Amino acid sequence: VSKDISYTISSGDPTGYFTIDSETGALRTSLPLDHEAQPSLNLEVQAHCGNPPAFGQTRVRITVSDVNDNAPVFLPSSSESLILPEDTRMGTVVYKVQAEDHDSGPNGLLSFDLFTSSAQRTFSIDRNSGQVRLIGSLSYETMPRYDLQVIAKDSGAPQLSSTFTLVVHVQAENGQGPVFDSLTYRVELKESTPLHTRFLQVRAVNRDGSITTGQSSLSSTPLAYHLHPDGDAAGFGIVSDSGWLFVKSALDREAKEMYLLTVLATSGNGQLKKTGSATVRVSVMDENDNTPRFTQERAFLAVRENLPAGTGFGRVSASDRDAGLNGRLSYRLLHLDRHFQINSHT
């Protein structure tokens, strides 16, 4: 008799996305589905009855269709800086914005737009390739820095977007100011770095060939270092005679993970004053300083009696603001109970 038949999922779903009603054979979801993690599953469903049991088997193919639940992500990070000589030729491709979207089809198809009014006459972006091109002339005296905002949008509905910041520093032509030994310095700092910690010494050279190192200068006109007073500079300081950068405000990767600083070296005074610039990119490295948080402190779950062992009947979820392994969670029951267990990953 058909009511004596019982159903089980014998293979094809190790994560436990689905359960089957052992009496009716009705398949149900037991975990939220994610197209990006598992676009399809092939379940082996087994029916058996009688004693000794007789078995039947069938395959159920389940396709998880995509919804637009991923915003574009920029690579390698959501901001970058570069230095352009002011004699850079018009038409030059100066940067290529790269982004990805984990969704499929139109949901993952990206286009780019430039969103900075003052820069739109000087720079343009190719909507499809992300190539940023110089379409105007550069002048260090008129505009020493551009902050370009690039928006990447997908083609899904509703449309999702993300913003990328490209900081362009204009470098004065030869003869105008000191030169740093690097156009872009890159440094990594832990978010637990104590205040007043010195972390990088920048060095500049007068264009007459003399070098300044530490306290002493081989030049008749010593260099003075300072930071361009923009938004990111507030958390940092620089020792004016030696070029040592130090931390002035506490770093928190969860609040801000990257800073772009403009360091300036100045020689001379008044009419003879000349300035050179370079960029310092400070990446804040993660420390495990956030505890996991449950989405709700109490969850009330109902479970029917007589369910076979291994049946999923509910889920709790938590999040952690730290990155990488510091934010990867595992779950366990505080008080073990012979009736229940929890999947440590899900």
Side-chain angles (χ1 to χ4, degrees):
V1 189
S2 63
K3 70 177 181 184
D4 295 331
I5 298 174
S6 67
Y7 301 91
T8 52
I9 298 171
S10 56
S11 69
D13 185 19
T15 312
Y17 284 111
F18 295 93
T19 57
I20 193 164
D21 188 300
S22 60
E23 293 176 14
T24 66
L27 278 166
R28 291 187 177 86
T29 57
S30 65
L31 293 175
L33 302 179
D34 183 7
H35 168 83
E36 286 73 48
Q38 188 89 47
S40 65
L41 297 94
N42 286 309
L43 307 185
E44 292 283 350
V45 175
Q46 201 173 70
H48 63 276
C49 72
N51 190 12
F55 293 93
Q57 200 145 305
T58 188
R59 179 169 287 189
V60 181
R61 179 170 175 79
I62 296 169
T63 303
V64 182
S65 59
D66 186 49
V67 295
N68 194 23
D69 57 350
N70 288 277
V73 176
F74 291 99
L75 305 171
S77 73
S78 59
S79 55
E80 191 56 89
S81 67
L82 59 97
I83 291 184
L84 293 180
E86 62 181 351
D87 58 358
T88 304
R89 285 172 53 185
M90 285 170 62
T92 304
V93 173
V94 297
Y95 190 78
K96 187 175 190 302
V97 178
Q98 291 182 297
E100 64 180 12
D101 190 311
H102 291 298
D103 293 312
S104 302
N107 293 336
L109 188 64
L110 298 183
S111 64
F112 301 97
D113 283 307
L114 199 57
F115 182 72
T116 312
S117 53
S118 63
Q120 278 172 340
R121 292 183 297 277
T122 314
F123 297 93
S124 69
I125 192 164
D126 184 289
R127 283 181 61 82
N128 300 315
S129 70
Q131 286 186 336
V132 178
R133 199 178 289 273
L134 181 67
I135 57 169
S137 56
L138 299 174
S139 164
Y140 175 81
E141 298 299 327
T142 314
M143 190 72 129
R145 168 176 170 154
Y146 293 88
D147 289 77
L148 309 184
Q149 302 285 319
V150 175
I151 294 180
K153 299 180 206 162
D154 61 30
S155 306
Q159 191 174 58
L160 298 177
S161 64
S162 298
T163 305
F164 172 83
T165 303
L166 179 64
V167 179
V168 179
H169 298 276
V170 179
Q171 188 181 37
E173 279 180 17
N174 283 355
Q176 288 212 20
V179 189
F180 283 87
D181 59 7
S182 174
L183 290 179
T184 304
Y185 298 88
R186 294 172 186 269
V187 66
E188 294 180 347
L189 289 177
K190 286 186 174 177
E191 58 181 331
S192 59
T193 303
L195 298 186
H196 310 299
T197 300
R198 293 184 175 193
F199 62 88
L200 173 70
Q201 186 178 27
V202 297
R203 298 162 184 265
V205 183
N206 275 313
R207 290 196 187 265
D208 58 14
S210 59
I211 244 180
T212 1
T213 56
Q215 301 290 334
S216 64
S217 170
L218 309 176
S219 148
S220 55
T221 52
L223 298 183
Y225 296 97
H226 56 283
L227 287 173
H228 192 282
D230 52 36
D232 282 0
F236 299 90
I238 192 166
V239 182
S240 65
D241 57 356
S242 65
W244 271 105
L245 283 153
F246 60 91
V247 179
K248 255 169 63 176
S249 301
L251 302 173
D252 180 9
R253 187 205 67 89
E254 287 72 50
K256 189 170 172 66
E257 61 182 333
M258 221 267 292
Y259 294 85
L260 291 170
L261 311 175
T262 306
V263 286
L264 303 171
T266 308
S267 66
N269 291 298
Q271 295 291 313
L272 298 172
K273 188 173 176 181
K274 292 176 180 177
T275 302
S277 64
T279 303
V280 178
R281 178 192 169 101
V282 180
S283 301
V284 182
M285 308 309 290
D286 189 52
E287 292 274 293
N288 194 15
D289 56 353
N290 287 275
T291 53
R293 295 207 165 181
F294 282 97
T295 47
Q296 348 166 226
E297 285 190 15
R298 289 179 169 214
F300 294 95
L301 305 174
V303 57
R304 297 205 321 277
E305 62 179 350
N306 299 329
L307 287 179
T311 303
F313 64 90
R315 188 183 193 218
V316 292
S317 67
S319 60
D320 189 309
R321 297 176 67 214
D322 292 314
L325 291 174
N326 291 336
R328 190 180 293 173
L329 301 181
S330 63
Y331 299 84
R332 64 185 177 87
L333 294 176
L334 199 56
H335 305 291
L336 293 177
D337 184 298
R338 67 187 182 86
H339 292 98
F340 301 102
Q341 60 186 153
I342 188 166
N343 183 309
S344 62
H345 301 299
T346 63

